[in-house]
Amino acid sequence: GCGKLTGVSNPITIRASGSRFGSWMTDTMTPSADSRVWYMDGYYKGRRVLEFRTLNDFVTGQNFVQHLLPHPWAGTGHVVFNGSLYYNKYQSNVAVKYHFRSRSVLVQRSLAGAGYNNTFPYSWGGFSDIDFMVDESGLWVVYTTNQNAGNIVVSRVDPQTLEVLRSWDTGYPKRSAGESFMICGTLYVTNSHLAGAKIYFAYYTNTSSYEYTDIPFHNQYSHISMLDYNPRERVLYTWNNGHQVIYNVTLFHVIKTSGEL
């Protein structure tokens, strides 16, 4: 069941590879028997996605196929959801859904008003204006607009059409955020991408309210350029200065007794 984030484990380094910035992930929706890993090195103009058959193959760097995307990506905020890659098309605020099996773009759509090209990145820069994420309830995208004065907007997105279903203005300035991720409808924001960072802010979409938090996590290699929750595995995936790292999370479950509303 869902719960509130109360703790993050020590980091578990899976592999050291690639450049300082990048993204890696597993599908958030497939059965647990499917353990493919996708790997996207670099933060802009890249088109090469490596698909490893298993986590072990990823660790050893073997048994992968290469996908060449028809449009290059911007940032590191990509996510694999139900067999498709969702990413931000370079030099635009266009969201792209690329289907791995058919090797084709199924849909692309502009995010109205969303900043791009380092207009509203996270604190580390890197064209990280638009960040896709998946939690227990589906697909989300985090970005910001001029109308929102650079504060983080979080939107629920239809995975089939890429239409924005509903948006929330969190009030948190995106350039002051290190990274962010969704768990159980709550957006968690870190206050830095460097050493000493902590999970500092939580925005609850179910109540449209926020609170400041103080959840430490060990930023072992001192430069996080991607941080994403995988609801299937209940772990955070991160790219930290050329290291691919995971964290386990602790969620606090409130058990309602009968008679309570």
Side-chain angles (χ1 to χ4, degrees):
C2 261
K4 187 174 176 178
L5 180 68
T6 56
V8 176
S9 75
N10 280 323
I12 303 153
T13 301
I14 303 299
R15 187 181 174 191
S17 67
S19 64
R20 191 174 193 188
F21 316 96
S23 189
W24 73 293
M25 64 218 93
T26 57
D27 197 324
T28 54
M29 268 284 280
T30 54
S32 53
D34 180 352
S35 58
R36 288 176 296 166
V37 174
W38 286 270
Y39 177 87
M40 299 164 70
D41 189 14
Y43 65 86
Y44 78 117
K45 289 205 290 198
R47 289 176 56 213
R48 202 166 74 116
V49 183
L50 303 186
E51 177 188 306
F52 293 85
R53 196 178 52 188
T54 65
L55 183 63
N56 200 48
D57 288 337
F58 173 65
V59 171
T60 57
Q62 297 171 320
N63 293 326
F64 63 86
V65 295
Q66 178 173 289
H67 301 267
L68 265 185
L69 299 174
H71 311 295
W73 72 70
T76 57
H78 335 296
V79 70
V80 176
F81 178 62
N82 207 16
S84 291
L85 173 73
Y86 294 81
Y87 73 97
N88 175 212
K89 187 175 173 179
Y90 179 57
Q91 288 192 317
S92 75
N93 59 14
V94 171
V96 178
K97 178 184 182 180
Y98 175 84
H99 187 241
F100 285 115
R101 196 172 326 127
S102 65
R103 294 181 175 253
S104 63
V105 170
L106 297 186
V107 61
Q108 45 183 325
R109 181 185 287 269
S110 175
L111 278 166
Y116 60 95
N117 253 9
N118 274 336
T119 308
F120 299 116
Y122 290 122
S123 59
W124 63 273
F127 296 85
S128 59
D129 305 69
I130 293 170
D131 189 4
F132 291 93
M133 42 193 79
V134 171
D135 73 351
E136 289 76 2
S137 59
L139 180 67
W140 304 80
V141 63
V142 159
Y143 56 98
T144 188
T145 66
N146 283 318
Q147 291 87 336
N148 288 84
N151 291 333
I152 290 176
V153 177
V154 57
S155 295
R156 277 292 307 271
V157 177
D158 183 319
Q160 304 306 321
T161 64
L162 294 178
E163 282 182 89
V164 169
L165 303 173
R166 185 173 169 197
S167 295
W168 293 260
D169 179 357
T170 65
Y172 194 96
K174 188 156 183 291
R175 284 177 164 274
S176 301
E179 267 287 341
S180 67
F181 55 92
M182 295 292 295
I183 300 181
C184 297
T186 300
L187 181 75
Y188 294 95
V189 181
T190 70
N191 61 348
S192 171
H193 60 283
L194 301 171
K198 61 187 180 182
I199 298 161
Y200 180 69
F201 179 86
Y203 187 87
Y204 305 98
T205 59
N206 61 337
T207 55
S208 302
S209 63
Y210 68 88
E211 68 175 344
Y212 289 94
T213 57
D214 187 3
I215 303 170
F217 72 105
H218 182 39
N219 183 350
Q220 187 171 358
Y221 306 106
S222 303
H223 197 290
I224 285 177
S225 61
M226 168 245 164
L227 183 60
D228 252 344
Y229 173 67
N230 185 311
R232 185 185 77 173
E233 301 165 15
R234 288 265 161 103
V235 299
L236 295 172
Y237 279 69
T238 181
W239 187 293
N240 194 339
N241 222 344
H243 298 79
Q244 292 75 51
V245 178
I246 61 173
Y247 296 87
N248 291 306
V249 298
T250 304
L251 302 181
F252 177 73
H253 305 286
V254 178
I255 293 157
K256 287 193 160 66
T257 58
S258 60
E260 275 191 81
L261 289 176

